[in-house]
């Protein structure tokens, strides 16, 4: 199957499976799993942060970060379409008693800092105390520039706020920005990095921050059920991904641009190849057409999620040959 639903659908490579099977392990809740400690140290160094914490998922990584930055009744400012508000089941207010103040996301994936300033609460007992600004990079495949990140970080500091970055696809961002992870992470007090998306590991995310934030995040991880014991088996996959799957992200970006180029002239579809920055192609059509197209492609072992605005995602299990085959079958459907 050629699965374009997400970059989370990848299968562990043979090399990754071998290092998982051979991983040295210990009890990570006691902080004596050597492979987990190696992964945390590596990403702390790569991000330029003092410490890091391995957790089961990006959802948990973001949640423990929000709960570490904010006390009960405090507020975080967040984009309405960001994962830390929309796609993580309301964990921050439900489990952390942290109040979201949402703002519309701009077309480039950023938040308008003037609008952010307008919703920062006065120091008044009637209001939740504004404590944190949350950003997302990448957002819907869009890369936020280092210039904006610096402006947002400096702005947050000027207002007495911390900044958390949902960098689930941070390595896609730095691939396009042609910079190091620390160049991006320097403009956030904490950054969540997912290993199970474009990097192709089966499980896990890492939160990078200073030692105080990570100390609290470790406590919250335990409370939320994220203490994984002999999790070096999983951390080994993350280490392998960092060593072998980062540079190849450029292939996914190139494949996305090729697919958009090949399909943009189909009149029944709306695709703007100039908006493809990373590994995602957004395809717009009417819902009926999307459903019929999905059924047709499934007959040819291609999986998409039908909707009026579809996201087709390139990843390490999608080759350049697969891209050619997909484009041929889409054109064949509309012929």
């Amino acid at each position: 199957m050629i699965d374009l639903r997400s970059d989370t659908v990848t299968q562990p490579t043979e090399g990754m499976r071998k290092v998982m099977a051979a991983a040295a392990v210990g009890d990570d809740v006691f902080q004596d799993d050597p492979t987990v400690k190696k992964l945390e140290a590596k990403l702390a160094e790569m991000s330029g942060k003092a410490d890091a914490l391995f957790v089961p998922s990006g959802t948990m990584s973001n949640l423990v970060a929000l709960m570490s930055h904010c006390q009960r009744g405090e507020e975080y400012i967040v984009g309405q379409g960001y994962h830390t508000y929309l796609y993580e089941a309301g964990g921050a207010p439900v489990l952390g008693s942290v109040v979201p103040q949402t703002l519309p996301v701009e077309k480039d994936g950023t938040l308008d800092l003037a609008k952010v300033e307008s919703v920062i609460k006065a120091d008044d007992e009637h209001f939740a105390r504004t404590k944190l600004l949350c950003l997302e990079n990448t957002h819907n495949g869009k890369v936020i520039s280092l210039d904006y990140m610096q402006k947002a970080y400096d702005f947050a500091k000027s207002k007495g706020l911390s900044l958390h970055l949902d960098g689930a696809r941070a390595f896609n961002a730095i691939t396009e920005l042609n910079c190091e992870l620390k160049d991006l992470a320097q403009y956030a007090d904490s950054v969540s990095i997912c290993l199970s998306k474009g990097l192709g590991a089966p499980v896990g995310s890492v939160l990078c921050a200073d030692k105080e934030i990570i100390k609290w995040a470790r406590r919250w991880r335990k409370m939320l059920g994220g203490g994984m014991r002999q999790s070096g088996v999983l951390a080994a996959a993350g280490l392998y991904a960092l060593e072998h799957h980062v540079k190849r992200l450029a292939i996914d970006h190139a494949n996305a641009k090729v697919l958009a180029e090949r399909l943009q002239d189909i009149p029944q579809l709306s695709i703007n190849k100039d908006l493809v920055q990373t590994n995602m192609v957004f395809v717009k059509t009417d819902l009926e057409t999307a459903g019929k197209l999905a059924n047709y492609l499934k007959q040819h072992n291609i999986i998409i999620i039908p909707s009026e605005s579809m996201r087709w995602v390139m990843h390490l299990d999608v080759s350049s040959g697969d891209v050619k085959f997909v484009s041929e079958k889409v054109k064949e459907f509309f012929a």
Side-chain angles (χ1 to χ4, degrees):
M1 301 297 290
I2 302 172
D3 195 337
L4 304 183
R5 292 174 297 173
S6 177
D7 46 11
T8 62
V9 302
T10 58
Q11 297 290 308
T13 64
E14 191 61 33
M16 184 179 286
R17 290 177 186 270
K18 287 180 179 178
V19 299
M20 292 173 71
V25 298
D27 190 321
D28 182 47
V29 176
F30 291 139
Q31 298 185 49
D32 65 6
D33 188 302
T35 309
V36 171
K37 291 169 73 173
K38 184 177 179 181
L39 173 65
E40 291 172 342
K42 184 175 182 68
L43 270 169
E45 180 183 9
M46 293 177 73
S47 64
K49 302 301 182 188
D51 209 348
L53 181 68
F54 182 47
V55 298
S57 69
T59 295
M60 184 177 288
S61 183
N62 282 327
L63 179 57
V64 298
L66 296 182
M67 293 171 69
S68 299
H69 282 291
C70 302
Q71 298 180 29
R72 295 182 66 195
E74 293 184 328
E75 174 184 86
Y76 71 109
I77 299 173
V78 61
Q80 290 172 350
Y82 286 175
H83 280 70
T84 41
Y85 171 68
L86 185 59
Y87 293 110
E88 294 177 353
V94 172
L95 300 176
S97 297
V98 182
V99 182
Q101 168 64 65
T102 65
L103 287 171
V105 179
E106 302 301 310
K107 290 182 179 180
D108 63 357
T110 66
L111 297 182
D112 184 327
L113 296 180
K115 293 178 182 177
V116 172
E117 184 170 19
S118 73
V119 297
I120 296 174
K121 307 299 184 290
D123 186 7
D124 186 307
E125 65 185 21
H126 293 86
F127 304 132
R129 180 187 176 206
T130 308
K131 187 68 179 296
L132 181 68
L133 173 62
C134 287
L135 297 176
E136 185 172 288
N137 197 3
T138 63
H139 172 68
N140 284 342
K142 301 182 185 73
V143 179
I144 297 176
S145 70
L146 292 178
D147 180 62
Y148 174 86
M149 290 298 305
Q150 182 176 14
K151 289 178 180 177
Y153 184 70
D154 291 344
F155 167 83
K157 293 303 160 185
S158 74
K159 301 300 178 181
L161 306 180
S162 297
L163 193 152
H164 172 66
L165 177 63
D166 178 1
R169 294 182 174 88
F171 282 100
N172 291 94
I174 66 172
T175 296
E176 194 69 12
L177 292 169
N178 193 29
C179 68
E180 302 295 326
L181 180 62
K182 63 183 178 181
D183 298 326
L184 175 62
Q186 67 179 316
Y187 301 124
D189 296 291
S190 58
V191 55
S192 172
I193 299 166
C194 192
L195 302 169
S196 61
K197 292 186 170 68
L199 296 184
V203 173
S205 287
V206 176
L207 177 68
C208 303
D210 64 28
K211 290 188 178 295
E212 184 67 15
I213 289 294
I214 296 300
K215 182 186 76 173
W216 279 104
R218 190 177 297 277
R219 175 179 285 270
W220 292 126
R221 183 188 73 167
K222 177 63 176 175
M223 185 181 293
L224 295 169
M228 296 185 288
R229 305 301 179 182
Q230 288 73 37
S231 49
V233 174
L234 301 174
L239 283 166
Y240 184 92
L242 291 173
E243 293 166 4
H244 296 89
H245 293 167
V246 172
K247 290 183 178 179
R248 65 150 310 281
L249 289 172
I251 298 172
D252 299 338
H253 296 191
N255 281 339
K257 291 177 173 65
V258 168
L259 183 61
E261 176 77 32
R262 290 180 172 178
L263 299 182
Q264 70 167 351
D265 293 331
I266 298 175
Q268 297 92 333
L269 302 178
S270 176
I271 300 172
N272 188 339
K273 68 179 180 64
D274 295 330
L275 297 180
V276 178
Q277 296 180 8
T278 57
N279 63 327
M280 299 179 185
V281 179
F282 286 86
V283 182
K284 295 183 179 180
T285 188
D286 63 86
L287 190 57
E288 181 180 0
T289 299
K292 291 179 179 179
L293 175 61
N295 289 334
Y296 181 81
L297 293 178
K298 189 174 182 180
Q299 296 172 22
H300 297 280
N301 296 322
I302 302 167
I303 305 176
I304 63 171
I305 299 174
S307 68
E308 292 180 340
S309 181
M310 295 178 283
R311 185 189 73 169
W312 296 357
V313 187
M314 306 300 109
H315 49 77
L316 63 84
D317 287 344
V318 177
S319 67
S320 58
D322 292 335
V323 169
K324 180 181 179 182
F325 181 73
V326 169
S327 63
E328 288 172 351
K329 291 305 171 185
V330 173
K331 290 179 179 180
E332 189 177 276
F333 173 78
F334 287 108

